Amino acid sequence: MIKLEDVESIGSRLNRPECVLTHQSGLLFASDWTDNGGVSIISINGNVQRILSKDSSFIIRPNGVAIEPSGSFLLAHLGNDDGGVYRLHPDGVLEDFITDVDGEPLPPSNYIHLDHQGRAWVTISTRKIPRAEAYRQDVADGFIVLIDKHGCKVVADNLGYTNECLVHPDGQRLFVNETFARRLICFDIETNGNLTNRRTICEFDAGTYPDGMTFDTSGGIWITSIISNRVIRVQEDGSQQTIIEDLDPEHINIVEAAFQANELGRPHLDKVKSKQLKNISSLAFGGRDLRTAYLGCLLGDHISYFKAPYGGVAPVHWDAPLNTLQAFLKPAN
């Protein structure tokens, strides 16, 4: 296991950096709830710049973030009672990307993933509002929307709090975390984008609530767990290895009892007890050799990172030119 003393941090004064993304330039990108909402950009020296929406009539609460090759961002909007995906341009202009499917407005939206074919996969954790009503084992009303050149459609439904999803490097499978069903599942992707052959890769034990995910180059699937601040490496046979954790056992027992009694609520997520990690929610491999693991989080104001024993698979946007974005970035101090 990685020791907590081997964990470092970068950036400061971040505002709910739930989703963290890496780029070959060394820049980090994180969701940001400052003012109208947008994206934080963290340079190698830790300098933080922000691209925030200029639309004062609408406050976007980005959860998942995707980078487009042009340097714009797609933001999954996790509003209290509304969702959708919006495009944020580097000059702060915000526009709709998708706000409804099949004529129905999207509920609060969790995550967006762009794959190598330019398709967008969007996860909706639950239809319940407030969404805390779905922090239960017996609720399975989450779904996945696919947006491609043919339009948008629901491609999976009845999921147990759908969280991050990711197309496997082979391009043939979609992996999905069901946070409060506490399992990692997988679908086959048909040529038309439909998802078939749903199966469970693994289920997680007490204290583990899978949120973020990414792949390493040795076939491992890295899972972050909120509340317990765990990073778990899962192999496709379902075997699990804990890479790091930062938790208070007594608090985990309290949370587990609430979960089993269907009484889990926002306080259990917002009052996580730990020594260093602040309710980690995502993981992205970066650095020149893609062996640095950067951790997004719900409660911290910086990005924690550590040297990983495996190299990561480069994200789709790893070598995107980001030309438009560069024009709006100030030189690092």
Side-chain angles (χ1 to χ4, degrees):
M1 285 181 61
I2 302 294
K3 298 178 180 179
L4 286 177
E5 52 261 37
D6 294 326
V7 176
E8 301 181 69
S9 66
I10 188 170
S12 61
R13 296 179 289 106
L14 303 180
N15 189 340
R16 200 182 182 276
E18 197 277 350
C19 179
V20 61
L21 303 173
T22 58
H23 187 262
Q24 69 170 359
S25 63
L27 293 175
L28 303 178
F29 303 88
S31 47
D32 193 319
W33 283 23
T34 299
D35 297 335
N36 296 332
V39 175
S40 291
I41 304 171
I42 304 110
S43 65
I44 295 174
N45 66 2
N47 184 61
V48 176
Q49 300 173 63
R50 289 181 166 88
I51 296 178
L52 301 176
S53 169
K54 293 179 179 178
D55 186 351
S56 59
S57 67
F58 175 73
I59 296 177
I60 188 164
R61 288 298 174 241
N63 202 64
V65 177
I67 302 174
E68 297 185 292
S70 64
S72 56
F73 303 91
L74 295 178
L75 310 179
H77 173 52
L78 193 68
N80 288 331
D81 53 14
D82 63 327
V85 176
Y86 294 81
R87 176 178 282 119
L88 178 67
H89 293 274
D91 59 358
V93 172
L94 188 73
E95 63 182 11
D96 294 359
F97 180 73
I98 175 177
T99 57
D100 61 84
V101 63
D102 296 332
E104 295 293 330
L106 285 174
S109 305
N110 189 294
Y111 189 68
I112 178 165
H113 165 55
L114 290 179
D115 68 16
H116 281 286
Q117 297 185 37
R119 300 174 297 190
W121 305 84
V122 180
T123 63
I124 311 299
S125 297
T126 178
R127 293 177 170 87
K128 290 187 175 297
I129 296 175
R131 60 185 180 276
E133 293 181 0
Y135 298 172
R136 300 163 56 113
Q137 303 174 77
D138 60 350
V139 175
D141 64 348
F143 59 100
I144 301 173
V145 175
L146 170 64
I147 305 103
D148 62 12
K149 61 183 179 181
H150 302 295
C152 62
K153 59 184 177 181
V154 174
V155 289
D157 207 340
N158 303 314
L159 301 175
Y161 208 89
T162 333
N163 216 301
E164 289 198 15
C165 69
L166 197 60
V167 174
H168 189 273
D170 65 16
Q172 304 301 310
R173 294 171 288 166
L174 183 76
F175 285 73
V176 185
N177 276 331
E178 292 182 281
T179 299
F180 296 109
R182 296 210 294 206
R183 60 180 170 240
L184 170 65
I185 63 173
C186 178
F187 295 90
D188 292 334
I189 305 173
E190 296 185 337
T191 54
N192 61 4
N194 288 338
L195 300 179
T196 61
N197 190 26
R198 172 178 171 173
R199 64 265 191 199
T200 298
I201 301 298
C202 69
E203 296 183 344
F204 297 99
D205 294 331
T208 297
Y209 304 88
D211 191 323
M213 76 165 73
T214 194
F215 298 106
D216 68 37
T217 55
S218 298
I221 309 152
W222 290 53
I223 304 294
T224 58
S225 167
I226 53 171
I227 302 175
S228 57
N229 288 303
R230 285 184 178 128
V231 175
I232 299 171
R233 183 176 184 265
V234 177
Q235 300 198 61
E236 289 199 33
D237 63 3
S239 59
Q240 303 175 31
Q241 172 193 4
T242 299
I243 300 295
I244 192 171
E245 68 178 17
D246 183 7
L247 54 80
D248 177 270
E250 183 177 351
H251 178 69
I252 293 299
N253 289 338
I254 292 172
V255 172
E256 183 66 20
F259 180 68
Q260 294 299 335
N262 289 329
E263 296 175 352
L264 196 68
R266 288 301 316 176
H268 297 102
L269 275 67
D270 295 339
K271 297 181 180 180
V272 171
K273 294 185 178 181
S274 59
K275 294 179 180 179
Q276 188 169 341
L277 302 180
K278 302 299 182 181
N279 210 356
I280 59 173
S281 50
S282 69
L283 187 151
F285 286 108
R288 292 184 178 180
D289 56 0
L290 286 160
R291 293 180 73 99
T292 302
Y294 293 94
L295 301 171
C297 66
L298 299 174
L299 301 179
D301 61 359
H302 58 267
I303 300 295
S304 296
Y305 67 92
F306 59 86
K307 280 295 181 181
Y310 298 87
V313 171
V316 172
H317 56 263
W318 179 247
D319 54 1
L322 304 182
N323 293 330
T324 306
L325 178 62
Q326 292 294 342
F328 288 91
L329 288 176
K330 301 175 184 177
N333 295 330

